[in-house]
Amino acid sequence: MEEQMNVQVKPHTAIIFPGQGAQTPGMGKDFYENSAAAKKVYEEASEATGLDLMELCFTENDRLDLTEYTQVALMTTEIAMFEALKEKGIGAEVYAGLSLGEYSALVAAGSMDIKTAAKLTRKRGILMQNTVPAGQGGMAAVMGMEDEKIAQICEQVEGIVEIANYNSPAQTVISGEKQAVLLAKEKLLEAGCKRVVELNVSGPFHSSMLKPAGLELGEHLKSVELKPLTTPYVTNVTASYIEDISQTKELLAKQVYSSVRWYQSIEEMIRHGVTSFIEVGPGRTLAGFNKRISKEITTINIQKIEDLEQFA
């Protein structure tokens, strides 16, 4: 999308976007009603996908929590909020997003326009929802145990159960076959972890069970045109800075069935001098993770139009 005004990059600042699970009915409605740039995002995403993104995001409905709709709805909302932020002349020196949020980061970093991202996240959501039949996969959040020990215990369980998300030093998510996840939960609790919470999700995301979806997405990406990055982004797969798009398609395909190295991504940005984070999107999930990752950084949230007053 065209920029509405000159955007000033805030030094030592990263803008980060949450992933699936942050969605909530009504998200983005106040931006749509108060920002021309945000309204244009919803209209262009709707045109690109044939979905009524305004109805999907702004009203109570039974589709918003279905993966095939969630992903495009949440990405569209995040970019609508981001474009409203840009109207205030605010940018960042690096972008990142958790899982689905990486697509928002790529739009913000200049590599995709909203129509391309909307089509891609719609395709990604359909593939991820349909690859594993409902009820066969599961995920659980593990609190209070080191990553290495969690991985060791998962390896001892018969069946597929793997680390899906390194959210913070205090929270790791496991994913895989439903029964294997339940067995891993028992072993983790026996081994002394504080808490294991089964997640209400529709599939074993970021596990090897999703590899067919990732490979199919990779084939689809071959025909997608990406633009050169105007700003670096940090990839989930390796938690490293990406400054050109030569690896991006391969990384996006792998991301579907690879672990999300989120707290490692935050730590990498801190090593590069980032001290301030702006979480753009509904909820405060990433701000919560950041508090557990480092006490030396600050995180603010942009999820309501009033939040923009901080940048006035």
Side-chain angles (χ1 to χ4, degrees):
M1 293 186 63
E2 295 181 1
E3 295 185 3
Q4 276 68 40
M5 61 177 294
N6 291 328
V7 174
Q8 300 298 316
V9 172
K10 291 178 71 67
H12 313 301
T13 298
I15 289 178
I16 53 177
F17 300 93
Q20 191 167 339
Q23 72 276 1
T24 183
M27 62 182 184
K29 188 171 186 289
D30 52 347
F31 286 86
Y32 177 86
E33 293 173 343
N34 291 280
S35 164
K39 183 177 181 181
K40 186 177 180 183
V41 169
Y42 281 105
E43 290 172 345
E44 291 192 354
S46 296
E47 180 184 343
T49 60
L51 298 173
D52 185 340
L53 270 302
M54 288 73 77
E55 188 274 335
L56 184 60
C57 295
F58 303 160
T59 68
E60 294 279 353
N61 63 83
D62 58 4
R63 295 185 299 160
L64 186 57
D65 289 331
L66 296 176
T67 297
E68 67 169 290
Y69 298 107
T70 305
Q71 297 197 6
V72 64
L74 184 57
M75 184 282 303
T76 298
T77 296
E78 290 174 356
I79 294 305
M81 294 178 180
F82 173 71
E83 288 293 330
L85 187 61
K86 281 171 63 180
E87 282 185 309
K88 296 288 187 181
I90 303 298
E93 65 180 41
V94 63
Y95 298 95
L98 192 153
S99 188
L100 169 69
E102 189 162 312
Y103 287 79
S104 300
L106 280 161
V107 176
S111 188
M112 293 184 196
D113 59 28
I114 185 60
K115 289 185 177 181
T116 299
K119 290 176 183 177
L120 271 176
T121 51
R122 174 75 168 135
K123 179 73 172 179
R124 182 181 186 266
I126 291 170
L127 289 171
M128 290 177 68
Q129 180 165 298
N130 295 338
T131 295
V132 178
Q136 291 191 10
M139 300 178 75
V142 182
M143 276 71 82
M145 182 173 280
E146 294 180 355
D147 302 335
E148 295 81 0
K149 192 168 184 180
I150 295 170
Q152 289 172 2
I153 290 172
C154 287
E155 288 173 4
Q156 296 168 10
V157 173
E158 185 176 349
I160 299 171
V161 58
E162 302 155 352
I163 291 181
N165 293 64
Y166 297 88
N167 287 336
S168 77
Q171 185 189 103
T172 305
V173 176
I174 58 174
S175 178
E177 294 171 330
K178 185 76 171 178
Q179 192 59 34
V181 170
L182 293 175
L183 288 171
K185 176 182 178 178
E186 291 179 12
K187 287 183 176 292
L188 288 162
L189 290 170
E190 289 171 2
C193 85
K194 292 181 180 178
R195 195 172 171 219
V196 181
V197 179
E198 293 172 53
L199 302 181
N200 183 21
V201 294
S202 58
F205 302 143
H206 297 290
S207 77
S208 57
M209 293 177 74
L210 267 291
K211 189 168 184 178
L215 295 177
E216 188 170 343
L217 182 64
E219 288 299 311
H220 179 74
L221 280 161
K222 289 179 179 178
S223 62
V224 174
E225 183 179 355
L226 300 180
K227 296 178 285 187
L229 294 163
T230 57
T231 310
Y233 78 98
V234 178
T235 171
N236 289 182
V237 177
T238 61
S240 57
Y241 272 60
I242 303 296
E243 297 186 1
D244 67 75
I245 59 168
S246 61
Q247 305 172 65
T248 296
K249 291 182 180 181
E250 180 182 358
L251 288 167
L252 289 177
K254 285 184 176 180
Q255 189 225 49
V256 172
Y257 56 92
S258 299
S259 301
V260 174
R261 299 185 177 276
W262 184 250
Y263 82 74
Q264 297 93 329
S265 297
I266 297 295
E267 289 175 343
E268 180 69 3
M269 287 183 272
I270 293 170
R271 280 193 289 272
H272 276 74
V274 174
T275 56
S276 300
F277 291 82
I278 304 171
E279 180 180 5
V280 177
R284 298 178 181 272
T285 302
L286 302 185
F289 293 159
N290 276 4
K291 286 181 180 179
R292 293 169 176 82
I293 294 168
S294 173
K295 303 297 185 185
E296 307 301 317
I297 59 177
T298 60
T299 308
I300 64 170
N301 299 83
I302 302 294
Q303 59 175 322
K304 296 291 183 184
I305 198 72
E306 308 92 74
D307 298 332
L308 289 179
E309 294 173 4
Q310 296 177 71
F311 301 104

